[in-house]
């Protein structure tokens, strides 16, 4: 319980870092970065075997940020953990910075360059097969956007993962129900997602993607079914944590102005006070 | 060189992988329902735990290979060059080259190897496509021996590479397998013209040189298997000697060996250059040999075009 309390606050702090990065860079993907914060916080602080002092630890768990545009929350988490200095986040998207607008392996802790959608799951399949070949213990986590599932390559990789019975592979869908043009069900109907993934041979679990305790418990309980890859459908809210950004497609890659940043920070600071008061 | 015995490069690539995999446990093979065309059925039987079949899914084959490489494996992806250089292009660009994943793509049945099957199955753009991506080597072996040596060389070269080979048995240019990256091999010397060729038309170029010699034209012939990185020094040195250069490739005249050579000479020692390749059109229907012949990429055609070129740029010789 103590850990959950700390991580709840951590999630709010990460959100503040995300907004500051986007505001400073005048560039970024606000909505999708905010929707996956609890997923990242749960994995990186509560589940995965990683060492910020040794980013290449041989048997570390692997994380693939397939929805590479949510890079701000990813960088914020890695910096906060000590993979690189937090102060470097100020250079995000600035000329010559190693912190590019989609993840690259120049950043300590990042496993693979992503940004084009539909690539991460196949990469994760390769990593999971490598783990099996070596009889290693590491698991592979691939975070995808829900809009990303429009890409056919995702389903190719899904078939292959099931064919090889990769129960060390965990796909996570940030199911925030919005993509650039609007509602995922209106742009290109995704549902019934559970039935689709189940038919592809995956074990599917639904979670509240903002409930850290539930996320951690779910991840720690995997695999539920031996011989099957697992898909976590994490139900989230795009832009989570800032009321005027939540569930608004215009904030897919909108950058906050001075007033919007001030209001957002005020709301997040209020949230931090609330969490402190609960303790 | 051996005119009588022939061998398809894919068999020697497969043999090299077999020979090396016994000692190097990091070697893995990934294919997309192309075990037969890549001649790797025996590898699958011998090293089943390191042989990964992904079905007809070239994009995933490359992505999976990147994941394997990032976890310390040395993956070789084998399958038709036409699909790996087009459908899986984004995976090669991002997952492999941009990330710097140590993946080797072996494009088999490249060029017009599939002959009459049509342009869906031809790879005549692959060199141009991969040359334009940073951080990936582009190699076209000229015979089965060199193909063997290429694989052996690449196993311990920790960076991405694309290797294009053909499908059909071809004569041996070399008696022994040897290959070094960024090295051109001078197969014969002559002062009248420099011919630079790559891949499976090198053999035709060699025969063309014999025809030219009978006509009193002595050519230098350079086999340039490594197109990126390329052997600039040998190219410039030879151009200085002959003053006229002809390039030959089983590839579009756009973006391949010819333009690579042109760029180097344009900057360092401008001389007249003729680029022989497939013109900017979808090729005629026919077997590989027929298509090559149609576009003057066989011995007779090459000799004819070289003579025509030399007449245009005689420089008062």
């Amino acid at each position: 319980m103590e850990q959950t309390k700390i991580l709840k606050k951590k999630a709010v702090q990460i959100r503040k870092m995300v907004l500051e990065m986007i505001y400073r860079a005048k560039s970024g993907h606000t909505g999708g970065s905010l929707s996956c914060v609890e997923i990242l916080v749960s994995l990186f602080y509560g589940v995965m075997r990683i060492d910020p002092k040794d980013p290449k630890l041989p048997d570390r768990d692997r994380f693939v940020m397939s929805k590479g545009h949510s890079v701000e929350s990813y960088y914020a988490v890695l910096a906060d953990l000590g993979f690189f200095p937090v102060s470097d986040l100020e250079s995000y998207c600035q000329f010559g910075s190693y912190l590019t607008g989609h993840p690259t392996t120049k950043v300590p802790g990042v496993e693979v360059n992503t940004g084009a959608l539909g690539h991460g799951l196949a990469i994760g399949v390769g990593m999971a097969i490598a783990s099996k070949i070596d009889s290693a213990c590491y698991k592979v986590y691939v975070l995808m956007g829900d809009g990303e599932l429009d890409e056919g390559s995702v389903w190719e990789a899904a078939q292959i993962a099931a064919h090889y019975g990769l129960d060390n592979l965990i796909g996570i869908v940030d199911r925030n129900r919005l993509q650039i043009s609007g509602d995922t069900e209106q742009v290109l109907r995704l549902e019934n997602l559970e039935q689709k993934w189940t038919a592809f041979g995956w074990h599917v679990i639904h979670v509240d993607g903002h409930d850290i305790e539930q996320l951690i418990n779910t991840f720690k309980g995997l695999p539920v079914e031996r011989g099957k890859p697992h898909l976590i459908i994490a139900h989230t809210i795009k832009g989570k944590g800032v009321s005027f950004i939540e569930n608004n497609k215009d904030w897919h890659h909108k950058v906050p102005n001075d007033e919007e940043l001030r209001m957002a920070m005020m709301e997040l600071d209020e949230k931090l006070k609330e969490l402190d008061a609960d303790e | 060189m051996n005119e009588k015995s022939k061998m398809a490069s894919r068999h020697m690539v497969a043999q090299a992988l077999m020979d090396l995999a016994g000692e190097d446990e990091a070697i893995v093979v990934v294919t997309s329902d192309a075990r037969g065309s890549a001649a790797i059925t025996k590898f699958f039987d011998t090293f089943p735990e390191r042989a990964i079949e992904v079905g007809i899914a070239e994009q995933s084959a490359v992505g999976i290979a990147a994941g394997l490489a990032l976890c310390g494996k040395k993956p070789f992806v084998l399958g038709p060059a036409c699909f790996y250089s087009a459908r899986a292009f984004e995976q090669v660009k991002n997952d492999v080259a941009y990330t710097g994943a140590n993946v080797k793509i072996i494009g088999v049945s490249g060029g017009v190897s599939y002959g009459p099957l049509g342009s869906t199955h031809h790879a005549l753009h692959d060199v141009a496509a991969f040359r334009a991506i940073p951080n990936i080597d582009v190699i076209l072996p000229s015979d089965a021996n060199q193909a063997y040596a290429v694989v052996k060389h690449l196993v311990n070269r920790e960076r991405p590479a694309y290797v294009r080979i053909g499908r059909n048995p071809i004569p041996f240019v070399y008696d022994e397998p040897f290959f070094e990256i960024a090295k051109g091999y001078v197969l014969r010397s002559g002062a009248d013209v420099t011919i630079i060729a790559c891949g499976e038309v090198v053999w035709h170029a060699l025969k063309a040189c014999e025809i030219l010699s009978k006509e009193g034209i002595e050519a230098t012939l350079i086999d340039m298997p490594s197109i990126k990185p390329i052997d600039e020094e040998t190219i410039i040195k030879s151009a200085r000697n002959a003053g006229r250069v002809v390039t030959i490739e089983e590839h579009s005249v756009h973006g391949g060996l010819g333009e690579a050579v042109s760029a180097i000479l344009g900057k360092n020692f401008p001389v007249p250059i003729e680029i022989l390749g497939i013109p900017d059109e979808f090729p005629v229907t026919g077997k590989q040999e027929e298509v090559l012949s149609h576009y003057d990429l066989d011995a007779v055609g090459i000799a004819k075009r070289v003579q025509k070129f030399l007449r245009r740029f005689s420089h008062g010789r």
Side-chain angles (χ1 to χ4, degrees), chain A residues 129-138, chain B residues 25 71-73:
Chain A
I129 291 174
S131 178
K132 292 270 184 195
I133 291 175
D134 290 339
S135 303
C137 57
Y138 60 86
Chain B
E25 290 194 354
C71 291
K73 300 296 171 197

Side-chain angles (χ1 to χ4, degrees), chain B residues 153-170:
Chain B
H153 183 89
L154 292 181
V155 161
N156 294 314
R157 186 170 159 82
E158 274 194 46
R159 55 181 268 116
Y162 170 75
V163 181
R164 187 237 270 186
I165 56 176
R167 175 177 180 80
N168 306 313
I170 49 166

Side-chain angles (χ1 to χ4, degrees), chain A residues 29-93:
Chain A
H29 290 82
T30 312
S33 268
L34 294 176
S35 66
C36 66
V37 170
E38 279 82 6
I39 298 168
L40 293 175
V41 165
S42 300
L43 284 172
F44 278 84
Y45 298 81
V47 178
M48 290 199 301
R49 182 168 183 269
I50 45 167
D51 182 0
K53 290 189 191 68
D54 184 8
K56 298 282 179 196
L57 183 77
D59 267 3
R60 69 191 180 281
D61 289 326
R62 267 45 173 206
F63 175 80
V64 177
M65 186 57 136
S66 195
K67 50 173 296 194
H69 56 282
S70 297
V71 68
E72 296 91 4
S73 45
Y74 188 23
Y75 285 169
V77 164
L78 291 174
D80 182 70
L81 279 165
F83 280 94
F84 58 90
V86 173
S87 58
D88 284 7
L89 292 176
E90 288 175 23
S91 77
Y92 171 62
C93 278

Side-chain angles (χ1 to χ4, degrees), chain B:
Chain B
M1 95 186 181
N2 187 335
E3 201 163 348
K4 282 177 188 157
S5 67
K6 287 183 173 186
M7 189 178 218
S9 293
R10 58 201 172 108
H11 294 295
M12 285 296 257
V13 166
Q15 188 58 50
L17 289 169
M18 288 287 294
D19 293 347
L20 295 161
E23 292 186 359
D24 189 341
E25 290 194 354
I27 293 172
V28 293
V29 159
V30 181
T31 192
S32 46
D33 197 19
R35 285 180 235 185
S37 52
I40 45 170
T41 305
K42 200 170 154 197
F43 188 99
F44 269 70
D45 293 340
T46 314
F47 304 102
E49 72 289 354
R50 287 191 271 151
I52 298 151
E53 172 65 78
V54 303
I56 308 167
E58 294 81 9
Q59 299 174 80
S60 293
V62 175
I64 286 168
L68 287 159
L70 293 168
C71 291
K73 300 296 171 197
K74 295 178 178 175
F76 283 75
V77 182
L78 296 97
C82 54
F83 306 133
Y84 282 94
S85 58
R87 186 189 293 258
F89 185 71
E90 195 181 52
Q91 278 76 8
V92 178
K93 170 182 164 249
N94 295 343
D95 308 354
V96 175
Y98 184 34
T99 295
N102 182 20
V103 172
K104 310 296 190 283
I105 313 277
I106 311 285
V108 300
S109 307
V112 292
S113 295
Y114 276 131
L117 298 190
S119 287
T120 51
H121 283 61
H122 295 163
L124 293 167
H125 63 279
D126 49 347
V127 174
F130 290 124
R131 264 184 78 220
I133 302 176
N135 199 33
I136 183 165
D137 301 335
V138 180
I139 301 161
L140 273 70
S142 55
D143 78 351
N145 270 333
Q146 197 179 60
Y148 184 97
V150 165
V151 172
K152 201 172 170 189
H153 183 89
L154 292 181
V155 161
N156 294 314
R157 186 170 159 82
E158 274 194 46
R159 55 181 268 116
Y162 170 75
V163 181
R164 187 237 270 186
I165 56 176
R167 175 177 180 80
N168 306 313
I170 49 166
F172 284 96
V173 174
Y174 298 97
D175 295 328
E176 298 286 333
F178 58 89
F179 170 80
E180 268 180 66
I181 197 81
K183 180 141 176 53
Y185 296 98
V186 179
L187 298 181
R188 81 193 292 290
S189 295
D192 297 322
V193 63
T194 290
I195 298 174
I196 305 173
C198 66
E200 301 190 351
V201 287
V202 169
W203 167 257
H204 297 289
L206 203 49
K207 301 303 286 179
C209 289
E210 289 171 15
I211 297 172
L212 289 168
S213 183
K214 282 177 193 154
E215 300 286 328
I217 297 163
E218 295 304 332
T220 289
L221 175 61
I222 301 170
D223 174 21
M224 192 63 69
S226 179
I227 296 173
K228 195 181 177 188
I230 201 163
D231 184 351
E232 294 199 15
E233 199 186 320
T234 298
I235 292 169
I236 296 165
K237 194 176 149 198
S238 185
R240 277 185 198 281
N241 288 338
R244 291 169 294 184
V245 173
V246 176
T247 64
I248 303 163
E249 60 198 304
E250 188 180 349
H251 185 271
S252 164
V253 291
H254 297 305
L257 171 72
E259 289 194 352
V261 168
S262 300
I264 290 159
L265 292 178
K267 186 177 169 186
N268 295 284
F269 190 77
V271 294
I273 300 172
E274 171 89 0
I275 297 174
L276 297 188
I278 305 288
D280 191 18
E281 65 185 43
F282 291 109
V284 291
T285 302
K287 293 192 193 94
Q288 183 180 28
E289 292 308 310
E290 292 168 332
V291 175
L292 291 179
S293 172
H294 177 78
Y295 294 111
D296 290 336
L297 293 170
D298 61 351
V300 172
I302 292 167
K304 182 183 80 186
R305 296 284 292 272
V306 169
Q307 281 175 299
K308 196 174 160 195
F309 170 69
L310 292 181
R311 280 197 297 274
R312 262 185 80 203
F313 297 99
S314 57
H315 293 311
R317 288 175 190 226

Side-chain angles (χ1 to χ4, degrees), chain A residues 33-260:
Chain A
S33 268
L34 294 176
S35 66
C36 66
V37 170
E38 279 82 6
I39 298 168
L40 293 175
V41 165
S42 300
L43 284 172
F44 278 84
Y45 298 81
V47 178
M48 290 199 301
R49 182 168 183 269
I50 45 167
D51 182 0
K53 290 189 191 68
D54 184 8
K56 298 282 179 196
L57 183 77
D59 267 3
R60 69 191 180 281
D61 289 326
R62 267 45 173 206
F63 175 80
V64 177
M65 186 57 136
S66 195
K67 50 173 296 194
H69 56 282
S70 297
V71 68
E72 296 91 4
S73 45
Y74 188 23
Y75 285 169
V77 164
L78 291 174
D80 182 70
L81 279 165
F83 280 94
F84 58 90
V86 173
S87 58
D88 284 7
L89 292 176
E90 288 175 23
S91 77
Y92 171 62
C93 278
Q94 305 296 325
F95 178 75
S97 173
Y98 70 101
L99 297 173
T100 307
H102 288 92
T104 79
T105 53
K106 284 182 183 166
V107 182
V110 173
E111 301 284 356
V112 58
N113 297 15
T114 53
L117 295 174
H119 286 234
L121 192 58
I123 294 164
V125 168
M127 291 173 163
I129 291 174
S131 178
K132 292 270 184 195
I133 291 175
D134 290 339
S135 303
C137 57
Y138 60 86
K139 289 183 181 173
V140 182
Y141 299 87
V142 179
L143 178 57
M144 294 170 280
D146 49 3
E148 180 178 359
L149 304 183
D150 294 351
E151 294 279 7
S153 51
V154 172
W155 301 97
E156 265 187 29
Q159 283 200 118
I160 298 163
H163 180 79
Y164 282 96
L166 300 176
D167 52 15
N168 56 348
L169 176 68
I170 298 107
I172 306 150
V173 176
D174 180 3
R175 186 76 176 105
N176 60 36
R177 305 190 76 91
L178 284 176
Q179 56 197 103
I180 292 184
S181 306
D183 187 324
T184 56
E185 301 315 287
Q186 283 171 14
V187 176
L188 182 71
R189 190 172 63 245
L190 290 175
E191 294 297 342
N192 187 306
L193 265 190
E194 179 181 336
Q195 285 178 9
K196 284 182 184 171
W197 285 90
T198 304
F200 271 72
W202 288 57
H203 184 99
V204 178
I205 300 170
H206 291 269
V207 296
D208 175 345
H210 298 303
D211 184 332
I212 288 173
E213 199 175 354
Q214 195 187 346
L215 282 162
I216 290 178
N217 289 338
T218 304
F219 288 131
K220 282 189 171 173
L222 300 180
V224 173
E225 206 174 338
R226 290 268 164 211
K228 274 191 178 184
H230 287 59
L231 186 84
I232 311 298
I233 301 178
H235 296 274
T236 58
I237 292 167
K238 195 152 180 172
K240 172 73 177 176
V242 181
S243 51
F244 61 90
I245 298 178
E246 285 185 2
N247 283 323
N248 183 345
K249 78 171 172 66
D250 295 341
W251 278 93
H252 178 83
H253 46 28
K254 188 169 176 288
V255 174
N257 60 28
D258 291 357
E259 178 58 13
E260 286 162 341

